[in-house]
Amino acid sequence: MHGKFKIIAATALLASLSFGAYAQSAAERSIQYRQGIMKAQGWHLGNMAAQVKGDKPYNKDDFSRSATFLSQLMQMPWDGFGPGTETGAPTKAKADIWTDAAKFKSEGDEAGKAAAALAQAAASGNMDQIKVAFGATAKTCKTCHDDFRTK
Ligand code: HEC
């Protein structure tokens, strides 16, 4: 009796968990996922921008941490741009992402390379190198936003 009750309770728990997960559509979850990663990218780019501009004192470890996180984050948003995620929640993604997928992927790859180079420059602590690598990275964000994000 006791054991049976446990099984029922566990089944009910599982059902409530899966209800939670599926109450949202797959497209909505994808859109929120990619926007969340992009927001985190914006957070770390902003932290580095403040230090490059001198609005915040440069701290090698703090800067390097953000550069490493950004480089890792740059690998992540693309899972959230799968087929069928053009709509399903408020989004600024342009339809061209799915009609010109090769260009979108190549711009994403470029951004990943730029962020990896920025993480390397950050580890050197050399501000001249950092500024160049930071500018190149920020440019890859802008290029893709100009091409693939609505205003
Ligand atoms: C290959 C294309 C691409 C690259 C590279 C890219 N983004 Fe984005 N970004 C997008 C798209 C598309 C959206 C809109 C996503 C949506 O609304 O579904 C977006 C949205 C955003 C948003 C808004 C998120 C929100 O909904 O609040 C921020 C912030 C952002 N990106 C930051 C960055 C930063 C910082 C970089 C560079 C380090 C970057 N992005 C690089 C394509 C890109």
Side-chain angles (χ1 to χ4, degrees):
M1 208 46 191
H2 200 72
K4 197 174 175 191
F5 177 74
K6 265 192 192 159
I7 290 168
I8 291 170
T11 310
L13 178 66
L14 267 180
S16 70
L17 284 177
S18 39
F19 177 77
Y22 291 105
Q24 262 188 318
S25 77
E28 190 179 11
R29 280 187 291 138
S30 291
I31 291 167
Q32 289 180 356
Y33 165 81
R34 72 196 183 208
Q35 290 173 345
I37 301 292
M38 287 280 170
K39 278 196 176 106
Q41 291 178 181
W43 175 279
H44 289 291
L45 193 83
N47 184 39
M48 291 186 279
Q51 295 180 54
V52 167
K53 286 193 236 155
D55 294 344
K56 175 182 168 178
Y58 170 66
N59 175 289
K60 187 185 172 191
D61 291 340
D62 177 70
F63 191 99
S64 205
R65 181 173 171 273
S66 274
T68 303
F69 283 161
L70 182 65
S71 167
Q72 290 164 349
L73 286 163
M74 281 305 330
Q75 312 301 315
M76 296 168 64
W78 324 123
D79 288 7
F81 288 97
T85 65
E86 294 91 331
T87 57
T91 174
K92 291 189 168 174
K94 282 191 192 168
D96 308 43
I97 290 169
W98 294 273
T99 54
D100 200 351
K103 186 176 178 197
F104 183 68
K105 184 180 185 303
S106 112
E107 290 189 9
D109 289 348
E110 287 308 310
K113 282 184 209 156
L118 175 58
Q120 277 198 341
S124 79
N126 177 324
M127 194 33 91
D128 292 339
Q129 274 184 41
I130 288 173
K131 279 188 174 158
V132 173
F134 178 83
T137 301
K139 202 173 157 203
T140 64
C141 314
K142 187 178 183 307
T143 299
C144 187
H145 292 163
D146 288 349
D147 290 345
F148 292 106
R149 187 174 70 161
T150 59
K151 294 282 174 292

